[in-house]
Amino acid sequence: SEMAAEKNIKLNVNVAEGIPAVMTDAGKVRQILYNLMSNAVKFTPQDGTVELAAFMHDEKTVRIAVSDNGCGIAETDREKIFDKFSQVDGSITRESSGTGLGLAISKELSNLISAVLDFESAVGKGTNFWLDIPLSIPEPKDEENK
């Protein structure tokens, strides 16, 4: 992206071999990844690194992870991060407004495709977001066959 080039951010992509085809809504996955990548670039300092990785998390789930070496997210902000209107306080966010909505939308999209969106973070070290996508979206349970 333009911003990545401007900040001289290195993008590493690591896709494991042998990931089977995933039956999911590609448009939603693309939107989630776009949001995660743009956030990662936004919060990564000059000359930083953003990594996109995809691998089998377990035999039924593909994990796509986006990690950065940016400012990180404090544990106290963990609960708020997917809220629609909250932003982590601090000057870094004020410079780069507009992260709030992307994550809230991403969370909603992930629920629609039975995927799990979560993250781990260390302040000052960076953040790793991941999307765990089932190889196929579970069929709605048929209540009549009990």
Side-chain angles (χ1 to χ4, degrees):
S1 76
E2 228 168 275
M3 193 191 235
E6 233 167 76
K7 289 167 75 174
N8 193 31
I9 289 172
K10 205 163 105 195
L11 178 61
N12 293 333
V13 178
N14 290 315
V15 177
E17 285 176 27
I19 298 176
V22 179
M23 300 298 291
T24 191
D25 184 324
K28 290 186 177 70
V29 172
R30 194 176 301 119
Q31 183 66 51
I32 294 167
L33 292 181
Y34 174 80
N35 290 344
L36 293 181
M37 292 295 287
S38 57
N39 275 0
V41 167
K42 204 176 281 185
F43 287 108
T44 296
Q46 194 76 28
D47 304 320
T49 305
V50 171
E51 182 174 64
L52 175 69
F55 52 91
M56 293 301 291
H57 179 56
D58 60 34
E59 57 229 33
K60 294 194 180 109
T61 318
V62 176
R63 173 167 289 186
I64 303 179
V66 175
S67 43
D68 65 61
N69 62 352
C71 55
I73 298 162
E75 198 53 41
T76 47
D77 291 315
R78 169 173 276 283
E79 295 307 311
K80 301 189 291 216
I81 204 82
F82 295 114
D83 289 356
K84 270 203 178 63
F85 299 109
S86 87
Q87 286 196 329
V88 180
D89 298 334
S91 56
I92 294 173
T93 312
R94 266 182 237 122
E95 269 164 45
S96 47
S97 60
T99 56
L101 206 53
L103 285 175
I105 290 168
S106 297
K107 188 72 164 173
E108 285 171 20
L109 291 173
S110 68
N111 291 338
L112 291 173
I113 58 171
S114 302
V116 176
L117 179 62
D118 206 353
F119 70 95
E120 59 194 7
S121 187
V123 172
K125 293 193 174 157
T127 306
N128 178 28
F129 274 92
W130 63 82
L131 182 66
D132 285 347
I133 311 170
L135 290 181
S136 55
I137 297 177
E139 292 293 316
K141 302 246 186 312
D142 191 351
E143 291 302 311
E144 290 178 19
N145 297 341
K146 280 188 175 165

